[in-house]
Coordinates of all heavy atoms in Angstrom, one line a residue:
M7 N 86.7 118.4 92.7 CA 88.0 118.1 93.3 C 88.4 116.7 92.8 O 87.6 115.9 92.6 CB 87.8 118.2 94.8 CG 87.3 117.0 95.5 SD 87.0 117.5 97.3 CE 85.5 116.6 97.5
G8 N 89.7 116.6 92.6 CA 90.3 115.4 92.2 C 90.8 114.5 93.2 O 91.4 115.1 94.2
V9 N 90.9 113.3 93.1 CA 91.5 112.4 94.0 C 92.3 111.4 93.2 O 92.1 111.1 92.1 CB 90.4 111.6 94.9 CG1 89.6 112.6 95.8 CG2 89.6 110.7 94.0
G10 N 93.4 110.9 93.9 CA 94.2 109.8 93.3 C 95.0 109.1 94.4 O 95.1 109.6 95.4
G11 N 95.5 108.0 94.0 CA 96.3 107.2 95.0 C 96.8 106.0 94.3 O 96.5 105.7 93.1
L12 N 97.7 105.3 94.9 CA 98.3 104.1 94.5 C 98.4 103.0 95.5 O 98.4 103.5 96.8 CB 99.6 104.4 93.8 CG 100.8 104.8 94.6 CD1 101.8 103.8 94.8 CD2 101.3 106.1 94.1
V13 N 98.4 101.8 95.1 CA 98.6 100.7 96.0 C 99.9 100.0 95.7 O 100.1 99.7 94.4 CB 97.4 99.8 96.0 CG1 97.6 98.5 96.9 CG2 96.1 100.5 96.2
R14 N 100.8 99.8 96.7 CA 102.0 99.1 96.4 C 102.2 97.9 97.2 O 101.5 97.7 98.3 CB 103.2 100.0 96.7 CG 103.2 101.2 95.9 CD 104.5 102.1 96.1 NE 104.4 102.6 97.5 CZ 105.4 103.4 98.1 NH1 106.4 103.6 97.3 NH2 105.2 103.8 99.3
G15 N 102.9 96.9 96.8 CA 103.0 95.6 97.5 C 104.2 95.8 98.6 O 104.8 96.9 98.7
R16 N 104.5 94.7 99.2 CA 105.6 94.7 100.2 C 106.9 95.2 99.6 O 107.8 95.7 100.1 CB 105.7 93.4 100.7 CG 104.6 93.1 101.7 CD 105.0 91.9 102.5 NE 103.9 91.6 103.5 CZ 103.4 90.5 103.7 NH1 103.6 89.5 103.1 NH2 102.4 90.4 104.7
D17 N 107.1 94.9 98.3 CA 108.3 95.1 97.6 C 108.3 96.6 97.1 O 109.2 97.0 96.3 CB 108.5 94.2 96.5 CG 107.5 94.1 95.4 OD1 106.4 94.9 95.5 OD2 107.5 93.3 94.5
K18 N 107.2 97.4 97.4 CA 107.0 98.7 97.0 C 106.7 98.8 95.5 O 106.6 100.1 94.9 CB 108.3 99.5 97.3 CG 108.6 99.6 98.7 CD 107.6 100.3 99.6 CE 108.3 100.4 101.0 NZ 107.3 100.9 101.8
K19 N 106.5 97.7 94.8 CA 106.1 97.8 93.4 C 104.6 98.1 93.2 O 103.8 97.6 94.0 CB 106.5 96.5 92.6 CG 108.0 96.3 92.5 CD 108.3 95.1 91.6 CE 109.9 95.0 91.6 NZ 110.2 93.7 91.0
W20 N 104.3 98.8 92.1 CA 102.9 99.1 91.8 C 102.0 98.0 91.8 O 102.3 97.0 91.0 CB 103.0 99.8 90.5 CG 101.6 100.2 89.8 CD1 100.8 99.3 89.2 CD2 101.0 101.4 89.8 NE1 99.7 99.9 88.7 CE2 99.8 101.3 89.1 CE3 101.2 102.6 90.3 CZ2 98.8 102.3 88.9 CZ3 100.4 103.6 90.0 CH2 99.2 103.5 89.4
L21 N 100.8 98.0 92.4 CA 99.8 96.9 92.3 C 98.6 97.6 91.6 O 98.0 96.9 90.7 CB 99.4 96.4 93.6 CG 100.3 95.7 94.5 CD1 99.8 95.3 95.8 CD2 100.8 94.4 93.7
S22 N 98.2 98.8 91.9 CA 97.1 99.4 91.3 C 97.1 101.0 91.6 O 97.8 101.4 92.4 CB 95.8 98.8 91.8 OG 94.7 99.3 91.1
G23 N 96.3 101.6 90.9 CA 96.1 103.0 91.2 C 94.7 103.6 90.8 O 94.0 102.8 90.2
F24 N 94.5 104.8 91.2 CA 93.2 105.3 90.9 C 93.2 106.8 90.8 O 94.2 107.4 91.4 CB 92.2 104.9 92.0 CG 92.4 105.5 93.4 CD1 91.8 106.6 93.7 CD2 93.2 104.8 94.3 CE1 92.0 107.2 94.9 CE2 93.4 105.4 95.5 CZ 92.9 106.6 95.8
M25 N 92.4 107.4 90.1 CA 92.2 108.8 89.9 C 90.8 109.1 89.5 O 90.1 108.3 88.9 CB 93.2 109.4 89.0 CG 93.0 108.9 87.6 SD 94.3 109.5 86.5 CE 93.9 108.8 85.0
G26 N 90.4 110.3 89.9 CA 89.0 110.7 89.4 C 88.6 111.9 90.0 O 89.2 112.6 90.8
F27 N 87.4 112.5 89.5 CA 86.8 113.6 90.0 C 85.6 113.3 90.8 O 84.8 112.4 90.5 CB 86.2 114.5 88.8 CG 85.6 115.7 89.1 CD1 86.2 116.9 89.6 CD2 84.1 115.8 89.1 CE1 85.5 118.0 89.9 CE2 83.4 116.9 89.4 CZ 84.1 118.0 89.9
V28 N 85.5 113.9 92.0 CA 84.5 113.5 92.9 C 83.6 114.7 93.4 O 82.9 114.6 94.3 CB 85.1 112.8 94.2 CG1 85.7 111.5 93.9 CG2 86.2 113.8 94.9
G29 N 83.5 115.7 92.6 CA 82.7 116.8 92.9 C 83.5 117.9 93.5 O 84.7 118.1 93.6
L30 N 82.7 118.9 94.1 CA 83.3 120.0 94.7 C 83.5 119.8 96.2 O 82.7 119.1 96.9 CB 82.4 121.3 94.5 CG 82.1 121.7 93.1 CD1 81.1 122.9 93.0 CD2 83.5 121.9 92.4
G31 N 84.5 120.4 96.8 CA 84.8 120.3 98.2 C 86.2 120.9 98.6 O 86.9 121.4 97.7
S32 N 86.6 120.7 99.7 CA 87.8 121.1 100.3 C 89.0 120.1 100.0 O 88.8 119.0 99.7 CB 87.8 121.4 101.8 OG 87.8 120.2 102.4
P33 N 90.2 120.7 100.1 CA 91.4 119.8 99.9 C 91.3 118.7 100.9 O 91.6 117.5 100.6 CB 92.6 120.7 100.1 CG 92.1 122.1 99.6 CD 90.7 122.1 100.1
L34 N 91.0 118.9 102.1 CA 90.9 117.9 103.1 C 89.9 116.8 102.8 O 90.1 115.6 102.9 CB 90.6 118.4 104.5 CG 90.5 117.4 105.6 CD1 91.8 116.7 105.7 CD2 90.1 118.2 107.0
E35 N 88.8 117.3 102.3 CA 87.7 116.4 101.8 C 88.3 115.4 100.7 O 88.0 114.3 100.7 CB 86.4 117.0 101.3 CG 85.7 117.6 102.5 CD 84.5 118.4 102.0 OE1 84.8 119.4 101.1 OE2 83.4 118.3 102.5
A36 N 89.0 115.9 99.8 CA 89.5 115.3 98.7 C 90.6 114.2 99.3 O 90.5 113.0 98.8 CB 90.3 116.2 97.8
E37 N 91.4 114.6 100.1 CA 92.4 113.6 100.7 C 91.7 112.5 101.5 O 91.9 111.4 101.4 CB 93.3 114.4 101.8 CG 94.3 115.4 101.2 CD 95.4 114.7 100.4 OE1 95.7 113.5 100.5 OE2 96.1 115.5 99.6
L38 N 90.6 112.9 102.3 CA 89.8 111.7 103.1 C 89.1 110.9 102.1 O 89.0 109.7 102.3 CB 88.9 112.5 104.0 CG 89.7 113.2 105.2 CD1 88.6 113.9 106.1 CD2 90.3 112.0 106.1
L39 N 88.5 111.4 101.0 CA 88.0 110.6 100.0 C 88.9 109.7 99.3 O 88.6 108.5 99.0 CB 87.1 111.4 99.0 CG 85.9 112.0 99.5 CD1 85.4 113.1 98.3 CD2 84.9 111.0 99.7
A40 N 90.1 110.1 99.1 CA 91.2 109.2 98.5 C 91.4 108.1 99.4 O 91.7 107.0 99.1 CB 92.3 110.1 98.2
V41 N 91.6 108.4 100.7 CA 91.9 107.4 101.8 C 90.7 106.4 101.8 O 91.0 105.1 101.8 CB 92.0 108.0 103.2 CG1 92.0 107.0 104.4 CG2 93.4 108.9 103.3
L42 N 89.5 106.9 101.8 CA 88.3 106.0 101.7 C 88.3 105.1 100.6 O 88.1 103.9 100.6 CB 87.1 106.8 101.9 CG 85.8 106.0 101.9 CD1 85.7 105.1 103.2 CD2 84.5 106.9 101.8
A43 N 88.7 105.6 99.4 CA 88.7 104.8 98.2 C 89.8 103.8 98.3 O 89.6 102.6 97.9 CB 89.0 105.8 97.0
A44 N 90.9 104.2 98.8 CA 92.1 103.2 98.8 C 91.6 102.0 99.9 O 91.9 100.8 99.7 CB 93.3 103.8 99.3
L45 N 91.1 102.4 101.0 CA 90.6 101.4 102.1 C 89.6 100.5 101.5 O 89.6 99.2 101.8 CB 90.4 102.1 103.3 CG 91.4 102.8 104.1 CD1 90.8 103.4 105.2 CD2 92.5 101.8 104.5
K46 N 88.7 101.1 100.8 CA 87.6 100.2 100.2 C 88.1 99.3 99.2 O 87.8 98.1 99.1 CB 86.5 101.2 99.5 CG 85.3 100.3 99.0 CD 84.3 101.0 98.4 CE 83.1 100.4 97.9 NZ 83.2 98.9 97.5
F47 N 89.1 99.7 98.3 CA 89.7 98.9 97.3 C 90.4 97.7 98.0 O 90.3 96.6 97.6 CB 90.7 99.7 96.5 CG 91.6 98.8 95.5 CD1 90.9 98.6 94.3 CD2 92.7 98.4 95.7 CE1 91.6 97.8 93.4 CE2 93.5 97.7 94.9 CZ 93.0 97.4 93.6
A48 N 91.2 98.0 99.0 CA 92.0 97.1 99.8 C 91.1 95.9 100.4 O 91.2 94.8 100.3 CB 92.9 97.6 100.8
W49 N 90.0 96.5 101.0 CA 89.0 95.6 101.6 C 88.3 94.7 100.6 O 88.3 93.5 100.9 CB 88.0 96.5 102.4 CG 87.0 95.6 103.2 CD1 85.8 95.1 102.8 CD2 87.4 95.2 104.6 NE1 85.3 94.3 103.9 CE2 86.1 94.4 105.0 CE3 88.3 95.4 105.5 CZ2 86.0 93.8 106.2 CZ3 88.2 94.8 106.7 CH2 87.0 94.1 107.0
D50 N 87.9 95.2 99.6 CA 87.4 94.5 98.6 C 88.3 93.3 98.0 O 87.8 92.3 97.6 CB 86.8 95.4 97.3 CG 85.6 96.1 97.7 OD1 85.1 95.9 98.8 OD2 85.3 97.2 97.0
K51 N 89.6 93.6 98.1 CA 90.6 92.6 97.4 C 90.9 91.6 98.5 O 91.7 90.7 98.3 CB 91.9 93.3 97.2 CG 91.8 94.1 95.9 CD 91.8 93.2 94.7 CE 92.0 94.1 93.4 NZ 92.0 93.2 92.2
G52 N 90.4 91.8 99.9 CA 90.7 90.9 100.9 C 92.0 91.2 101.7 O 92.5 90.4 102.5
W53 N 92.5 92.3 101.4 CA 93.7 92.8 102.0 C 93.4 93.5 103.3 O 92.7 94.5 103.5 CB 94.6 93.8 101.1 CG 95.0 93.3 99.9 CD1 95.1 92.0 99.5 CD2 95.2 94.0 98.7 NE1 95.5 91.9 98.2 CE2 95.5 93.1 97.7 CE3 95.1 95.3 98.4 CZ2 95.8 93.5 96.4 CZ3 95.5 95.8 97.1 CH2 95.8 94.9 96.1
R54 N 94.0 92.8 104.4 CA 93.6 93.5 105.8 C 94.8 94.0 106.7 O 94.7 94.7 107.5 CB 93.0 92.3 106.6 CG 91.7 91.7 106.1 CD 90.6 92.6 106.0 NE 89.4 92.1 105.6 CZ 88.8 92.0 104.3 NH1 89.6 92.7 103.3 NH2 87.8 91.6 104.0
N55 N 96.0 93.6 106.2 CA 97.2 94.2 106.8 C 97.7 95.3 105.9 O 98.5 94.9 105.0 CB 98.3 93.0 107.1 CG 99.4 93.5 107.9 OD1 99.3 94.4 108.5 ND2 100.4 92.6 107.9
L56 N 97.5 96.4 106.3 CA 97.9 97.6 105.4 C 98.7 98.6 106.1 O 98.5 98.8 107.4 CB 96.6 98.3 105.1 CG 95.4 97.5 104.4 CD1 94.2 98.4 104.1 CD2 95.9 96.9 103.1
I57 N 99.4 99.3 105.4 CA 100.0 100.6 105.7 C 99.6 101.7 105.0 O 99.8 101.6 103.7 CB 101.7 100.4 105.7 CG1 102.1 99.3 106.5 CG2 102.3 101.8 106.1 CD1 103.6 99.0 106.5
L58 N 99.0 102.6 105.6 CA 98.3 103.8 104.9 C 99.3 104.9 105.0 O 99.7 105.3 106.0 CB 97.0 104.0 105.4 CG 96.3 105.2 104.8 CD1 95.9 104.8 103.3 CD2 95.1 105.6 105.5
E59 N 99.7 105.4 103.8 CA 100.6 106.7 103.8 C 99.9 107.8 103.2 O 99.0 107.6 102.2 CB 101.9 106.4 102.9 CG 102.7 105.3 103.6 CD 103.9 105.0 102.7 OE1 104.1 105.5 101.6 OE2 104.8 104.2 103.2
S60 N 100.2 109.0 103.6 CA 99.5 110.2 103.1 C 100.6 111.3 103.0 O 101.3 111.4 104.0 CB 98.3 110.6 103.8 OG 97.8 111.8 103.4
D61 N 100.5 112.1 102.1 CA 101.3 113.2 102.1 C 100.6 114.5 102.7 O 101.2 115.6 102.7 CB 101.7 113.7 100.6 CG 100.5 114.0 99.7 OD1 99.3 113.9 100.2 OD2 100.7 114.4 98.5
C62 N 99.5 114.3 103.3 CA 98.6 115.4 103.9 C 98.8 115.1 105.5 O 98.2 114.2 106.0 CB 97.2 115.2 103.4 SG 96.1 116.5 104.3
L63 N 99.6 116.0 106.1 CA 99.7 115.9 107.5 C 98.3 116.0 108.3 O 98.1 115.3 109.3 CB 100.7 117.0 108.0 CG 100.9 117.0 109.5 CD1 101.6 115.7 109.9 CD2 101.8 118.2 109.8
E64 N 97.4 116.7 107.8 CA 96.1 116.9 108.5 C 95.4 115.6 108.5 O 94.8 115.2 109.5 CB 95.3 117.9 107.7 CG 94.1 118.5 108.5 CD 93.4 119.6 107.9 OE1 93.9 120.1 106.8 OE2 92.5 120.2 108.4
V65 N 95.5 114.7 107.4 CA 94.9 113.4 107.4 C 95.6 112.5 108.4 O 95.0 111.8 109.1 CB 94.9 112.8 105.9 CG1 94.6 111.4 106.0 CG2 93.9 113.7 105.0
V66 N 97.0 112.6 108.4 CA 97.7 111.7 109.3 C 97.3 112.0 110.8 O 97.0 111.1 111.6 CB 99.2 111.9 109.1 CG1 100.0 111.3 110.1 CG2 99.6 111.4 107.6
N67 N 97.1 113.3 111.1 CA 96.8 113.7 112.4 C 95.5 113.2 112.8 O 95.1 112.9 114.0 CB 97.1 115.2 112.6 CG 98.5 115.6 112.7 OD1 99.3 114.8 113.1 ND2 98.7 116.9 112.3
I68 N 94.5 113.1 111.9 CA 93.2 112.8 112.2 C 93.2 111.3 112.7 O 92.3 111.0 113.6 CB 92.3 112.9 111.0 CG1 91.9 114.3 110.6 CG2 90.9 112.1 111.0 CD1 91.2 114.6 109.3
F69 N 94.0 110.5 112.2 CA 94.0 109.0 112.5 C 94.8 108.8 113.8 O 94.8 107.7 114.5 CB 94.6 108.3 111.5 CG 93.6 108.1 110.4 CD1 93.7 108.9 109.1 CD2 92.5 107.3 110.4 CE1 92.8 108.8 108.1 CE2 91.5 107.2 109.4 CZ 91.7 107.9 108.3
K70 N 95.6 109.8 114.4 CA 96.5 109.4 115.6 C 95.5 109.1 116.7 O 95.9 108.0 117.4 CB 97.1 110.6 115.9 CG 98.4 110.9 115.1 CD 99.2 112.1 115.6 CE 100.5 112.2 114.5 NZ 101.2 113.3 115.0
P71 N 94.4 109.7 117.2 CA 93.6 109.2 118.4 C 93.1 107.8 118.0 O 93.0 107.0 118.9 CB 92.5 110.2 118.4 CG 93.1 111.5 117.9 CD 93.9 111.1 116.7
A72 N 92.6 107.6 116.8 CA 92.0 106.2 116.5 C 93.1 105.2 116.6 O 92.8 104.1 116.9 CB 91.4 106.4 115.1
D73 N 94.3 105.5 116.1 CA 95.4 104.6 116.3 C 95.7 104.1 117.7 O 95.9 103.0 118.0 CB 96.7 105.1 115.6 CG 97.8 104.0 115.4 OD1 97.5 103.0 115.0 OD2 98.9 104.4 115.9
W74 N 95.7 105.1 118.5 CA 96.0 104.9 120.0 C 94.9 104.0 120.5 O 95.2 103.0 121.2 CB 96.0 106.3 120.7 CG 96.3 106.0 122.1 CD1 97.7 106.2 122.7 CD2 95.6 105.7 123.3 NE1 97.7 106.0 123.9 CE2 96.5 105.6 124.4 CE3 94.2 105.3 123.5 CZ2 96.0 105.3 125.6 CZ3 93.8 105.1 124.7 CH2 94.7 105.1 125.9
L75 N 93.6 104.3 120.2 CA 92.6 103.3 120.6 C 92.6 102.0 120.1 O 92.4 101.0 120.8 CB 91.2 104.1 120.3 CG 90.8 105.3 121.2 CD1 89.6 106.0 120.4 CD2 90.5 104.9 122.6
A76 N 93.0 101.8 118.9 CA 93.2 100.5 118.2 C 94.2 99.7 118.9 O 94.1 98.6 119.1 CB 93.4 100.7 116.7
C77 N 95.4 100.3 119.1 CA 96.4 99.6 119.8 C 96.0 99.2 121.2 O 96.4 98.1 121.5 CB 97.7 100.5 119.9 SG 98.5 100.9 118.3
K78 N 95.4 100.0 121.9 CA 94.8 99.6 123.2 C 93.8 98.4 123.1 O 93.8 97.4 123.8 CB 94.2 100.8 124.0 CG 95.3 101.7 124.4 CD 96.1 101.2 125.6 CE 97.0 102.2 126.1 NZ 98.0 101.6 127.1
G79 N 93.0 98.7 122.1 CA 91.9 97.6 121.8 C 92.5 96.3 121.5 O 91.9 95.1 121.8
A80 N 93.6 96.2 120.8 CA 94.2 95.0 120.4 C 94.7 94.1 121.6 O 94.9 93.0 121.5 CB 95.4 95.2 119.5
R81 N 95.0 94.8 122.7 CA 95.4 94.2 123.9 C 94.3 93.9 124.9 O 94.5 93.3 126.0 CB 96.6 95.0 124.6 CG 97.9 95.1 123.7 CD 99.0 95.8 124.4 NE 98.8 97.1 124.8 CZ 99.2 98.1 124.0 NH1 99.7 97.9 122.9 NH2 98.9 99.5 124.4
A82 N 93.1 94.4 124.6 CA 92.0 94.2 125.5 C 91.3 92.8 125.4 O 91.5 92.2 124.2 CB 90.9 95.3 125.3
E83 N 90.7 92.4 126.3 CA 90.0 91.1 126.3 C 88.5 91.2 126.0 O 87.8 90.4 125.7 CB 90.1 90.4 127.5 CG 91.6 89.9 127.9 CD 91.7 89.3 129.2 OE1 90.7 88.8 129.9 OE2 92.9 89.0 129.7
D84 N 88.0 92.4 126.0 CA 86.6 92.8 125.8 C 86.3 92.9 124.3 O 87.2 93.2 123.6 CB 86.2 94.0 126.5 CG 86.5 94.1 127.9 OD1 86.3 93.0 128.6 OD2 86.9 95.1 128.4
P85 N 85.1 92.6 124.0 CA 84.7 92.9 122.6 C 84.6 94.4 122.5 O 84.9 95.2 123.4 CB 83.3 92.3 122.4 CG 82.8 92.2 123.8 CD 84.0 92.0 124.7
I86 N 84.1 95.0 121.3 CA 84.1 96.4 121.1 C 83.2 97.2 122.1 O 82.2 96.7 122.5 CB 83.5 96.7 119.7 CG1 84.5 96.3 118.5 CG2 83.2 98.2 119.5 CD1 83.9 96.4 117.2
K87 N 83.9 98.1 122.8 CA 83.2 98.9 123.8 C 83.3 100.3 123.4 O 84.2 100.9 123.0 CB 84.1 98.7 125.0 CG 83.7 99.5 126.3 CD 84.4 99.0 127.5 CE 85.9 99.3 127.4 NZ 86.6 99.2 128.7
W88 N 82.1 101.0 123.5 CA 82.0 102.4 123.2 C 82.3 103.2 124.4 O 82.0 102.9 125.5 CB 80.5 102.8 122.8 CG 80.3 102.3 121.4 CD1 79.7 101.2 121.0 CD2 80.6 102.9 120.1 NE1 79.7 101.1 119.6 CE2 80.3 102.2 119.1 CE3 81.3 104.3 119.9 CZ2 80.4 102.5 117.7 CZ3 81.5 104.6 118.6 CH2 81.1 103.7 117.5
L89 N 83.0 104.4 124.2 CA 83.5 105.2 125.4 C 82.7 106.5 125.4 O 82.8 107.2 124.3 CB 85.0 105.5 125.4 CG 85.8 104.2 125.2 CD1 87.3 104.5 124.9 CD2 85.8 103.3 126.5
D90 N 82.1 107.0 126.5 CA 81.4 108.2 126.6 C 82.4 109.4 126.8 O 82.3 110.4 126.4 CB 80.4 108.2 127.7 CG 79.2 107.2 127.3 OD1 78.9 107.1 126.1 OD2 78.7 106.6 128.2
V91 N 83.5 109.0 127.5 CA 84.6 109.9 127.8 C 85.9 109.4 127.3 O 86.2 108.2 127.5 CB 84.7 110.1 129.4 CG1 85.8 111.2 129.7 CG2 83.3 110.7 129.9
P92 N 86.7 110.2 126.6 CA 88.0 109.6 126.1 C 89.0 109.4 127.2 O 89.0 110.2 128.2 CB 88.5 110.7 125.1 CG 87.8 112.1 125.7 CD 86.5 111.5 126.1
P93 N 89.8 108.4 127.0 CA 91.0 108.2 128.0 C 91.8 109.4 127.9 O 91.9 110.1 126.9 CB 91.6 106.9 127.4 CG 90.6 106.2 126.6 CD 89.7 107.3 126.0
P94 N 92.5 109.7 129.0 CA 93.3 110.9 129.1 C 94.3 111.1 128.0 O 94.4 112.2 127.3 CB 94.0 110.8 130.5 CG 93.2 109.9 131.2 CD 92.5 109.0 130.3
A95 N 94.9 110.0 127.5 CA 95.9 110.2 126.5 C 95.3 110.6 125.1 O 95.8 111.3 124.4 CB 96.7 108.9 126.3
V96 N 94.1 110.0 124.8 CA 93.4 110.2 123.7 C 92.8 111.8 123.8 O 92.9 112.5 122.7 CB 92.3 109.3 123.4 CG1 91.3 109.8 122.2 CG2 92.8 107.9 123.1
D97 N 92.4 112.1 125.0 CA 91.8 113.4 125.1 C 92.9 114.5 124.7 O 92.7 115.5 124.1 CB 91.4 113.7 126.6 CG 90.4 114.9 126.7 OD1 89.8 115.2 125.7 OD2 90.6 115.5 127.8
T98 N 94.2 114.2 125.2 CA 95.3 115.0 124.9 C 95.6 115.1 123.5 O 95.8 116.2 122.9 CB 96.5 114.6 125.6 OG1 96.3 114.5 127.0 CG2 97.8 115.5 125.3
L99 N 95.5 114.0 122.7 CA 95.7 113.9 121.3 C 94.6 114.8 120.5 O 95.0 115.5 119.5 CB 95.7 112.5 120.7 CG 97.0 111.6 121.1 CD1 96.7 110.2 120.7 CD2 98.2 112.1 120.5
V100 N 93.5 114.6 121.0 CA 92.3 115.4 120.3 C 92.4 116.9 120.5 O 92.3 117.7 119.7 CB 90.9 114.9 120.9 CG1 89.8 115.7 120.5 CG2 90.7 113.4 120.5
V101 N 92.8 117.3 121.8 CA 93.0 118.7 122.1 C 94.3 119.2 121.2 O 94.1 120.3 120.7 CB 93.3 118.9 123.5 CG1 93.9 120.3 123.8 CG2 92.0 118.6 124.4
L102 N 95.3 118.4 121.1 CA 96.4 118.9 120.3 C 96.1 119.0 118.9 O 96.5 120.0 118.2 CB 97.6 118.0 120.5 CG 98.3 118.0 121.8 CD1 99.4 116.9 122.0 CD2 99.0 119.3 122.1
D103 N 95.3 118.1 118.4 CA 94.8 118.1 117.0 C 93.9 119.4 116.9 O 94.1 120.1 115.7 CB 94.0 116.9 116.6 CG 93.6 116.7 115.2 OD1 94.4 117.1 114.3 OD2 92.4 116.5 115.0
F104 N 93.1 119.6 117.6 CA 92.2 120.7 117.6 C 93.0 122.1 117.6 O 92.7 123.0 116.8 CB 91.2 120.8 118.8 CG 90.3 122.0 118.8 CD1 89.3 122.3 117.9 CD2 90.7 123.0 119.7 CE1 88.5 123.5 117.9 CE2 89.8 124.3 119.8 CZ 88.9 124.4 118.9
M105 N 94.0 122.1 118.5 CA 94.8 123.4 118.7 C 95.6 123.7 117.3 O 95.9 124.7 116.9 CB 95.7 123.3 119.8 CG 95.0 123.3 121.1 SD 94.0 124.6 121.4 CE 95.2 126.0 121.7
S106 N 96.0 122.5 116.6 CA 96.9 122.7 115.5 C 96.0 123.2 114.3 O 96.5 123.9 113.4 CB 97.5 121.4 115.1 OG 96.5 120.4 114.6
G107 N 94.7 123.1 114.4 CA 93.9 123.6 113.4 C 93.4 125.1 113.6 O 92.8 125.7 112.7
L108 N 93.8 125.6 114.7 CA 93.5 127.0 114.9 C 94.2 128.1 114.1 O 95.4 127.8 113.9 CB 93.5 127.4 116.5 CG 92.5 126.6 117.3 CD1 92.7 127.0 118.8 CD2 91.1 126.9 116.8

């Protein structure tokens, strides 16, 4: 399966890009590996304020519950806290994500 992506600056101009073969797998795995490659590249460059775009709705939906938790965490006073039970809003997002895959 092939992966590829690009990194643009605030002005939307090309900064870098990547492409390659990463073995056999599903299209979703390829999309997620591309996201991982882009995030690793940005991290290694020291870039922390990112906007991640994808043309794969399934990938976008995977990050919705995590985004909700991150927004709530940004307003919390506690350090990282693990949750055994999802908050009701996240539980709803997870159920909707699951139902969309049926």
Side-chain angles (χ1 to χ4, degrees):
M7 84 191 142
V9 298
L12 63 113
V13 179
R14 296 184 295 179
R16 286 188 175 134
D17 59 1
K18 305 288 186 188
K19 291 184 180 173
W20 172 281
L21 294 177
S22 188
F24 65 94
M25 62 183 178
F27 178 76
V28 292
L30 301 176
S32 71
L34 178 59
E35 287 173 307
E37 293 286 347
L38 290 171
L39 285 171
V41 167
L42 181 61
L45 291 174
K46 183 178 178 344
F47 176 81
W49 187 267
D50 290 347
K51 290 284 192 181
W53 302 334
R54 302 295 186 264
N55 187 11
L56 307 172
I57 296 173
L58 179 65
E59 297 178 354
S60 175
D61 62 352
C62 179
L63 183 58
E64 198 169 1
V65 168
V66 172
N67 287 335
I68 285 172
F69 288 100
K70 283 183 182 177
D73 184 53
W74 188 94
L75 289 167
C77 289
K78 289 292 183 184
R81 293 188 297 267
E83 295 178 12
D84 301 325
I86 293 176
K87 173 173 66 171
W88 287 95
L89 308 169
D90 293 326
V91 177
V96 171
D97 195 35
T98 301
L99 291 172
V100 171
V101 168
L102 290 172
D103 180 51
F104 173 77
M105 295 301 288
S106 70
L108 294 179

